[in-house]
Amino acid sequence: MTEPAGTYSITMPCHVAEGAKARSGPSGFSAYVVAAVARQIERDGLDELIAVAEAEHGPVTDEEVLALRERLARARQEQG
């Protein structure tokens, strides 16, 4: 089911708008902008989650990040 949509006016630098138009493909400029904003909202939510986790458990070290990336890569290889 499609969510109701509204019409909004935004201002952005011309080079950003032109770049988005050039990459929007058949789905169109509006769909491209919606997808970009949705991704940013997800990232903002993840940043908030990370801040809460780091406040509770301390920052994640570079070594921990590397170990988790290697673990993820191994899991993907095992699946594929």
Side-chain angles (χ1 to χ4, degrees), residues 16-46:
V16 174
E18 292 305 317
K21 285 179 185 178
R23 290 168 179 77
S24 62
S27 61
F29 179 72
S30 290
Y32 189 87
V33 172
V34 167
V37 172
R39 277 192 307 274
Q40 186 61 50
I41 291 169
E42 288 178 358
R43 288 180 178 145
D44 292 346
L46 288 172

Side-chain angles (χ1 to χ4, degrees), residues 47-57:
D47 286 344
E48 292 167 4
L49 181 61
I50 289 168
V52 168
E54 286 186 339
E56 187 173 330
H57 303 288

Side-chain angles (χ1 to χ4, degrees), residues 60-77:
V60 178
T61 66
D62 291 340
E63 293 80 17
E64 290 170 317
V65 170
L66 181 60
L68 289 170
R69 284 185 177 157
E70 290 172 354
R71 184 173 159 194
L72 180 59
R74 282 193 306 273
R76 285 182 177 154
Q77 286 175 349

